[in-house]
Amino acid sequence: MEVALKGIRFTKQKNGLEWRMYGSVFRIEPFQNQSRELLKGYRVYFDGDIIGGSNLCIGAQVTNIVCILDYPSKTSQDWINELTSRPSCKMIDPRGLFVAGDICLTIVKDSLIIQKRSRKNQKLKLIENLKQIDFIREDLSPKEFDLFSFGEEVIA
């Protein structure tokens, strides 16, 4: 795989292969503790546009999708309060485990982990599930609002 991906500007890193473009990173790492002869499981990370990242995963059998939200201004208790106040989220454990439909929301060390896992021996529909997770991510991300950025109102 390394030889094939070097042709499209992936570079070898300590734990896998990485591609950087326009400020985004796409990284592929093999799962740990696999035999070299049967190497087939990979972990893929990307921080760019979900459609762009999913295009690089065409043909892959995706079994788990994870999105980590980490904002310095949010504590674990802030995340718990926010999720508790939302009717779309159901608390499973008061220490920070919630579900929103079939998406799991877990609070770990002041970060929110949004994840979708496939059922046994099945794969996820990548684009559909990425959009679902991205919708939740967008909804839960802090909104920046600049009161002074509005133009002046002119009364004629």
Side-chain angles (χ1 to χ4, degrees), residues 35-145:
S35 71
R36 291 290 177 204
E37 296 81 38
L38 301 173
L39 189 64
K40 61 182 179 179
Y42 297 92
R43 184 169 282 120
V44 176
Y45 302 90
F46 67 93
D47 65 355
D49 176 65
I50 61 168
I51 301 302
S54 64
N55 286 336
L56 291 170
C57 294
I58 290 177
Q61 292 187 13
V62 178
T63 58
N64 190 15
I65 301 171
V66 177
C67 175
I68 300 171
L69 296 181
D70 188 20
Y71 297 104
S73 63
K74 289 234 182 201
T75 65
S76 293
Q77 192 57 51
D78 293 334
W79 284 118
I80 290 171
N81 293 342
E82 172 132 8
L83 295 175
T84 303
S85 70
R86 293 175 177 268
S88 61
C89 294
K90 178 183 173 190
M91 182 186 289
I92 303 299
D93 187 299
R95 293 173 288 183
L97 185 59
F98 295 81
V99 291
D102 58 352
I103 303 290
C104 183
L105 304 157
T106 309
I107 299 161
V108 178
K109 296 182 181 176
D110 295 339
S111 296
L112 177 66
I113 300 170
I114 306 168
Q115 66 179 331
K116 171 76 184 251
R117 293 182 181 266
S118 66
R119 296 180 196 257
K120 189 173 183 175
N121 298 323
Q122 292 185 359
K123 64 180 185 174
L124 296 175
K125 294 178 181 174
L126 184 60
I127 299 290
E128 178 182 314
N129 287 286
L130 280 173
K131 286 181 179 179
Q132 193 176 10
I133 286 174
D134 195 48
F135 178 78
I136 292 170
R137 179 201 59 80
E138 181 70 28
D139 191 40
L140 292 172
S141 295
K143 310 294 185 272
E144 291 187 25
F145 182 75

